[in-house]
Structure formats: structure tokens, C-alpha cells
Amino acid sequence: MLANANRLTPYLFLLPAVAVMVVALLYPIGYMIWASFLDWNPSQRIGEADFVGLRNYFNLLGDAAFHESLWVTVKFAVLVVGIEMVLGVGLALLLDRELRGMTLLRTVFILPMMIAPIVVGLIWRYMYHPTVGTFNRILDSLGLPTAPWLSDGDWAFASVVIADIWQWTPFIFILSLAALQSLPKSAMEAARIDGATGWQLIWHIKIPLMMPVLIVTCLLRLIDAFKVLEVVLVLTNGGPGLSTEILALRISRTASEFRELGYAAAMSNVLLILLLILTLAMFLYTKITEARAARVRAAIEEG
Amino acid sequence: MTGRDGGEAGLPRITFDKVEKSYGSTLVLPPLDLTLEDGEFTVLVGPSGCGKSTTLRILAGLETLSGGEIYFDDRPIGKLEPKERDIAMVFQDYALYPHMNIARNMSFALRLARAPKSRIDSEVNRVAEMLNIAHLLDRKPAELSGGQRQRVAMGRALVRDAGTFLFDEPLSNLDAKLRAKMRTELAEMRDTIDKNMVYVTHDQVEAMTLGDRIVVMNAGMIQQQGTAEELFANPVNRFVAGFIGSPSMNFLAGEITADRVQGQGFDLPLPPGLAERAGARAVEVGIRPSSIVLEGGAPIQLRVIVSEYLGAQSVLVTRCGNVDVLAEIASVDRIPSGQTRDFGVRTEEIMLFDRATGARI
């Protein structure tokens, strides 16, 4: 009896967390999945909406605006994460040394990450302002032609990308720096004695050893970039045209402006599936590395 | 490829000229002068924090000089990068590249130097055969045991074919049995490979068995250098006397009176001349455990506290006055603990040290 109770104790402690998960996560997701099969507008209660099966999903297949949004989102995510990885890792490699004032410098570098996304959007909107914005005033004072930062489709996309890079490069920077500083010092020294130059040290030793951290960081950032909303909402609200209308924005507009809750739910599910694939990729990666580590341990115990 | 002729002619004589190291305002290595003859196996030995590792790392170029200069023959190398010094190094934690397999670990330096593939392969295979690690070439370092990693670290250094080999406590992460085995192999390697070797250890047994020349360091200063025999028979001060030899030397506080030395619980005659040299001053009497015998010698009464039976020899922990005295004797009879009995001291082996300065008298 007592043994039985002991076995159940851990689950008892897990119960509150499970309850919260069910209410806060599983219920809304279930709700969303159900809603995606309905033709539902906000004036109806969910029970009154018509069941339409997979029609919302079929409509998505032929919806050019949705395709455009999806493409903008993928383009955005791949571009920002790619540039952020290069910049973040590069900065970490540069700043991984003991210099006076380095602690302060590192703190300054990670400031953008601490600012609320809405505020980031506002700051950049003012800086991008066509007449009083920082950038155009600088260009103007140098006698250069000013740029249509937010009013031209291509420029607007670039502006959003720049703002996101500004905000999220620090994330990659601090994780890379932590990874760098935990690398075995003596392996680096051995490489120097073996004749490696600074660049060779980075290519042959540092980057390969940081790789596990870099892969996870990259996936985390990708997941985040696919869900980006606030900065774009404040900066461009998706425009001009559909040039910066990322998926999250399209979903929110479908629900609030077009009043098609079922259709918005179907889009959300597509986004969810995309993110699930990324998350699964991350889990798969950790599983593979763990399995390799286990094989290594087994090999050592044998030998 | 390295541009050396091979053989003794190509090996540099290494000279430390007033080499100094400080971190900020903390001086960790006061000016140090040291000459390592070409082709010699030199061991830097001393307790932790004595500056031996720093000295080696300065020689490797991993630490910068704060003052002085190092010469390879007449060529100053103090400002050169590690790779320009024609050295190879074996690290205490082996410092293998975790993401490369053993073959690639060993060939890293040659690959960086863009050596032809055929030469890389033949070098790696030759060294791997020599060290018995040929069957491990495809494995990653994490898949090897400590002893195997140790060999790979040696192998990686050997593939380099550098003029000077540096060893930073290479055996201290191994268990006792493996350490003894690797020590023997290193001693063998020393005789077959004609290179400069500089070896840092805190273990005086390693120092004694491996070094052509042993440099004993303490608190950043060289205390004495010489062969194992010289250091054992003729230590210049109390530190060297206590550090070299196992079990270590016993020290008893004493006073000189005429031709005898007396202290709490002992009164021993001194060999001719020693008492005169000492004069009337406070001394420490140094007696090696091996100088204490059961029969003969000058009598001394010791109370046996513990008897450590080691096989042919036993180490007795005894007490003289309130000082512990170790005695190393042949295990003829088991000597019961708690017994006070007569021992003998071979007086010709007694050493005297100035109690204030520690210098040998």
C-alpha cells in the first residue's frame, strides 16, 4: 500500500503543472484545431458556427495572399537568422578576450534584447521617419538622397529585417560567447602550438566545438522569427501592399479585420505545423547527440 | 620539411636569460637563469605553485615574457609565436581536439603546414605503430580511455618532429599503475628519440627516473639542478633535501656541542669536520629514512607508532621527542606498534642545515 503510494507521489507533484498545461495550452490548441474546421465569424458563439470540414484548408491552398505571407515569413526568418548568426558569432569571437571595460561593453551589447518589441518597433519607426527620422536626416545632412525606408516595398522589408537584426543579434552573441568561454582552453593552446593562425583556430577548432550550441541557438531563433509580430505591426503593419505582411500579422488581420475566425485558425495551424517541424528537428538533433554520447560511453566501458 | 638536419646538430641549446613573469603587480616568476643543453631530458620539479608550469608555458610561447629573454642557441625567441619555435607539447589534460578522430588529431599540425598527403599518412602510421595506437585512428578522443588519450597526445607531439618537446605533467591524470607503466615507456622513448625534452612534474619519482638533469624549483626560484644522484647525495638546502627522495628526509631541531649534535630525544656523534664547519649554531639535522638501521650505527631511541609493511621493506613511523621520524628498514621481523626500542643512525649520512636560512652546512 505504502509502496504504491510512494510510486504515485511524483505524479501527485506533477499534477498542478499538468493542470495548468491542460488549461493554458492544450485547451486553446484543441479549440483552435476545432475552429479551423468551422465557418465561424466573431458574432457567433462557437456552437452556432457551421462545420465545413477541410474547406478552410483547401481555400488556403489557393489563397495568393496567404502564399505571399508565407513566402515573406520564410524569407524574413531565413534572412534575419542567417545574418544574426554571422554577426552574433562574429562579435562573440571578437569580444572573447580579457580587455578593460569588456564587461560593460558586453552589457551594452545585450541591451536591445531587453527592450520590449513594441518599443523597439516605435524607436525604429521614428528613426525611419521620412523627414524627421534619424537616418534620413543624416543622409540629408551629408547631401545624399534620402531613402523611402517604410514607404517602398523592398525598402520596408529591408527596414524590418534591420530592426530585427538589431534586436536579436545580441541573443546569438551571448549564447555564442558563453559557448566560446566554455571551450577547453588547452585544446586552443595545443592548436596554437600545432601552428594554427587566428583564422585557422576559428575555423578548425572554435566553430566546430561551438557547433552544438550554434545549432540549437539557430533553431530557437528560427522558431522565434517565424512568430515575429509586434515589431512589424508597429513599423509597417504589413505594408506597403503585402511586402512585410508576415504570417502572424495575416492571421491577426484575418481574425479581426476579415472576421473569419475559422480561416485564421486554419492559418495558425499551418504555422504551428511549421514550428513543430522546427522543434522536432531540434529534439531530433539533441536525441542524436545523446545517442552518440551513449554509444561512446558504451564503447569506453567495453574497451 | 622542418629544415633541420636531424641529430644533435639540429637541436638548439635553450637559455633562459633573467626570464621574468608577473601578472599585474604580482610577480610569479622572479628573474630566472637556466641553460638546457641540446639533446637533454630536463625535468622541472617542485610543489604546485612553484613556477615550473609557468616556466614551461613561457618557453612554449603560451605566456608572454614580462622581462628577460629566451635563446635557442643565439636566436632570441621570446617574442615569437608558439608555432615559430619548433616545439611540440603534451598537456596535462591531453588537450586533444574532441571533434577530430585520432588520425586527424595527430595530423593536424602537418595538415596546417600543407604537408603532402602521402607524408602525413606515413608519419601518422609510423608514430601510431610505435605507440600501439594504430587500431584507434578512426575513433574520437571521447571514445578512448585515459591511458589511450595520453598516448595519442604523445603521438600528436611526435608526428610534429619538432626539435623540442615540452611535457606539462603528462602523467598526473593517470592512475598509479598506468602512470608507472607510462613512466617506463617515456624513459624508453627518451633513449630512442633524440630531441630536447623539457618535462614538468610535481612528482619527484618521475623526476628522478626520467631526468638527465633535474631542476628543483620552489617559490619561483631554482633551488638546485643536477642529476638525480647529485640531488639525492648532495642537496644544497633543506628544501631540496626534503623534496628529493621517498620517503622524504627527517628533520630534527638540534644544537651543536663539540663534535656531537643534540636535541629532544637524540644525541648523535657527527662525522669528522662537519661539527667544525657548523660551529655553535641552531641547526636542523637531516636524516634519511634509509639511514636508520636496526643494527649498528649511532644509537637512537625511537617509539614505533605505525609500521607500514610494503613487502621487502617496511616504513616505520616513529617518534623522537615530539617529532615524527620515518625509518625505512628491511622487513625482517614485524616490529609491533607502541614499542620503544633502539635503532641505529649511519652518522656519515647525516646532513646539517642552518635552521634560519635552510642552507646546507
Side-chain angles (χ1 to χ4, degrees), chain A residues 184 186-197 200 204-205 208-209 292 296 299-300 303, chain B residues 57 60-62 82-83 87 89 91 93 95-100 108-109 112 142-143 156 160:
Chain A
S186 58
M188 242 87 83
E189 291 176 343
R192 280 176 65 198
I193 288 181
D194 270 349
T197 61
Q200 286 170 328
H204 296 297
I205 310 288
L209 290 182
R292 189 183 298 151
V296 165
I300 291 176
Chain B
R57 291 170 60 80
L62 296 172
K83 59 176 174 156
I87 48 166
M89 184 158 169
F91 290 80
D93 63 356
L96 300 177
Y97 311 125
H99 58 296
M100 298 182 197
F108 188 60
L112 288 179
E143 298 168 52
R156 183 174 65 181
R160 292 281 311 282

Side-chain angles (χ1 to χ4, degrees), chain B residues 300-312:
Chain B
I300 186 171
Q301 260 204 347
L302 300 169
R303 189 157 60 88
V304 179
I305 309 290
V306 181
S307 165
E308 294 172 345
Y309 175 78
L310 303 176

Side-chain angles (χ1 to χ4, degrees), chain A residues 62-302:
Chain A
D63 182 347
F66 171 74
H67 292 170
E68 181 64 23
S69 267
L70 193 59
W71 169 236
V72 168
T73 308
V74 171
K75 198 167 62 167
F76 173 83
V78 171
L79 200 63
V80 294
V81 174
I83 297 174
E84 284 163 14
M85 288 299 290
V86 173
L87 287 181
V89 175
L91 276 176
L93 287 169
L94 273 177
L95 295 184
D96 175 31
R97 58 197 70 200
E98 293 309 317
L99 292 176
R100 199 182 290 269
M102 196 48 87
T103 325
L104 183 73
L105 203 60
R106 281 178 199 151
T107 317
V108 171
F109 266 108
I110 61 173
L111 272 179
M113 212 175 73
M114 305 180 193
I115 304 172
I118 290 281
V119 179
V120 172
L122 285 171
I123 294 172
W124 281 85
R125 194 165 83 186
Y126 289 125
M127 293 202 290
Y128 284 138
H129 192 279
T131 50
V132 298
T134 318
F135 297 126
N136 274 357
R137 273 172 50 193
I138 290 174
L139 288 174
D140 204 37
S141 67
L142 293 173
L144 296 167
T146 56
W149 293 106
L150 298 175
S151 51
D152 170 89
D154 291 338
W155 278 97
F157 184 77
S159 300
V160 171
V161 165
I162 291 169
D164 191 88
I165 289 170
W166 178 82
Q167 189 182 13
W168 288 109
T169 299
F171 175 76
I172 290 162
F173 164 69
I174 49 169
L175 289 187
S176 311
L177 192 63
L180 263 178
Q181 290 179 339
S182 66
L183 295 187
K185 291 272 172 295
S186 58
M188 242 87 83
E189 291 176 343
R192 280 176 65 198
I193 288 181
D194 270 349
T197 61
W199 281 110
Q200 286 170 328
L201 204 61
I202 289 173
W203 273 122
H204 296 297
I205 310 288
K206 288 183 182 174
I207 300 255
L209 290 182
M210 285 164 77
M211 208 37 102
V213 175
L214 293 186
I215 288 176
V216 172
T217 309
C218 181
L219 285 170
L220 279 176
R221 263 309 290 145
L222 269 179
I223 291 171
D224 240 25
F226 270 101
K227 296 187 303 186
V228 71
L229 174 68
E230 297 97 325
V231 175
V232 184
L233 184 78
V234 175
L235 268 182
T236 66
N237 197 18
L242 294 181
S243 57
T244 58
E245 193 177 74
I246 34 87
L247 211 48
L249 203 55
R250 178 95 203 146
I251 293 168
S252 112
R253 287 179 65 192
T254 307
S256 57
E257 280 178 43
F258 311 147
R259 301 171 62 82
E260 296 181 49
L261 295 184
Y263 199 46
M267 281 187 202
S268 302
N269 278 336
V270 171
L271 182 59
L272 185 67
I273 289 165
L274 266 175
L275 295 180
L276 263 180
I277 291 171
L278 282 177
T279 314
L280 282 179
M282 198 164 87
F283 274 125
L284 206 64
Y285 174 76
T286 29
K287 268 274 176 300
I288 289 171
T289 37
E290 269 169 21
R292 189 183 298 151
R295 255 205 328 276
V296 165
R297 271 196 300 278
I300 291 176
E301 273 159 26
E302 266 174 43

